[in-house]
Amino acid sequence: MKLFEAKDVTVRYGAVRALEEVAIEIEPGVVHGVIGPNGAGKSTFIDALSGRRKLTHGKVLYRGDDISTRPVVWRRRHGISRSFQKTSVFPSMTVREQLDMVAWRNDEDNLDEIVEVLGLGSILDMVCSEIAYGTQRSVDLAMALIGRPSVVLLDEPCAGLVAAESIQTLNHIRHLCKIRDVGAIVVDHNVEGIFGTCDVVTVLNLGQVLTTGDPVSVRKNPDVVRAYLGSAA
Ligand SMILES: Nc1ncnc2c1ncn2[C@@H]1O[C@H](COP(=O)(O)OP(=O)(O)OP(=O)(O)O)[C@@H](O)[C@H]1O
Ligand SMILES: [Mg+2]
């Protein structure tokens, strides 16, 4: 039985076809990158998988059950977690207060492990509004990974980070997913980072899957080069 699957996922905003029959499979401990140009439908896809956006058509399956109509809170409680393209820390709380609150709500048994991998130990007593933006992104990430979710859906965890920070963050995500056996979808614009850290890559374009495969073959795919990578390939 598959851990998590999207089948024919279609989302329309009125006349806008944001996603057309998109399919994906997520396995435990496998990091699955999703890349594509602006407006390709990446955030809509994360919203659809996390329960934030109703499907126009298609299904989301979790351990074989159709969970397409289950709300966000149900999914989080049952091991499907997400992060947002924009940072969602509470500015007036300390990092520790914020992480403890999420850990308590989600029965996390080893918060120290997450704090250590993400390098948050030295800033636990700082107020979130006072920490650097890149560190706020790591706090976002920590919150998504707290509670040993089976699946994490990460919408641009590196948005606003410089290239070196992005690579470091993607490596942290990979490490945590491997040691905790989490299946991840990671949306990002850092193509090099995604190719370098993900096990599988899907390219979305105009709401459709252009291709899915291992990073080496996706990078060489002529449709991907033409539609997205261009001279960067
Ligand atoms: N609430 C909405 N109402 C109408 N159209 C929307 C809405 N949200 C997104 N869209 C449209 O749906 C399409 C997909 O948008 P989406 O935000 O999913 O793309 P994206 O790949 O995440 O882009 P980016 O890389 O800029 O974050 C775009 O054409 C966008 O304009
Ligand atoms: Mg987006």
Side-chain angles (χ1 to χ4, degrees):
M1 189 195 305
K2 301 271 167 20
L3 173 62
F4 191 82
E5 270 180 283
K7 285 188 173 172
D8 300 336
V9 165
T10 299
V11 175
R12 301 206 180 107
Y13 299 108
V16 177
R17 291 162 174 256
L19 287 177
E20 282 290 307
E21 311 216 321
V22 174
I24 207 164
E25 286 180 11
I26 302 301
E27 293 170 56
V30 173
V31 183
H32 194 131
V34 174
I35 55 175
N38 292 116
K42 303 180 299 295
S43 293
T44 303
F45 192 44
I46 297 289
D47 287 350
L49 299 183
S50 65
R52 193 161 179 251
R53 177 69 56 190
K54 200 165 166 265
L55 310 186
T56 308
H57 174 73
K59 277 183 190 170
V60 178
L61 303 175
Y62 183 46
R63 303 187 194 282
D65 292 330
D66 185 349
I67 60 155
S68 308
T69 58
R70 296 284 193 184
V72 174
V73 175
W74 185 95
R75 294 185 206 206
R76 178 58 160 119
R77 210 175 286 139
H78 289 80
I80 303 162
S81 173
R82 71 162 294 168
S83 72
F84 291 89
Q85 191 165 345
K86 289 194 177 129
T87 188
S88 57
V89 296
F90 284 108
S92 61
M93 290 175 93
T94 66
V95 173
R96 187 192 303 276
E97 284 167 347
Q98 178 131 344
L99 296 182
D100 280 349
M101 182 181 74
V102 180
W104 177 75
R105 239 195 249 149
N106 292 283
D107 293 329
E108 172 58 47
D109 59 354
N110 190 358
L111 181 56
D112 289 350
E113 180 178 69
I114 296 177
V115 166
E116 192 190 320
V117 173
L118 296 177
L120 297 173
S122 61
I123 51 110
L124 283 175
D125 292 316
M126 288 176 73
V127 173
C128 286
S129 60
E130 286 171 3
I131 59 177
Y133 177 76
T135 318
Q136 289 185 9
R137 297 302 299 177
S138 294
V139 175
D140 274 322
L141 202 51
M143 291 196 291
L145 283 152
I146 281 173
R148 298 191 180 273
S150 305
V151 176
V152 286
L153 309 166
L154 304 173
D155 192 4
E156 297 203 30
C158 308
L161 304 186
V162 298
E165 287 175 322
S166 294
I167 301 286
Q168 190 182 43
T169 298
L170 290 167
N171 277 317
H172 289 160
I173 292 168
R174 181 178 176 84
H175 184 53
L176 274 169
C177 288
K178 296 293 172 192
I179 59 176
R180 294 191 157 213
D181 212 23
V182 181
I185 294 186
V186 185
V187 168
D188 214 78
H189 282 287
N190 185 329
V191 173
E192 285 311 315
I194 290 288
F195 281 135
T197 56
C198 293
D199 303 298
V200 186
V201 176
T202 288
V203 183
L204 277 185
N205 189 39
L206 301 172
Q208 293 182 306
V209 174
L210 210 52
T211 189
T212 293
D214 66 86
V216 174
S217 49
V218 169
R219 189 198 280 276
K220 281 196 270 188
N221 181 304
D223 291 336
V224 176
V225 173
R226 199 176 313 115
Y228 184 47
L229 295 178
S231 58

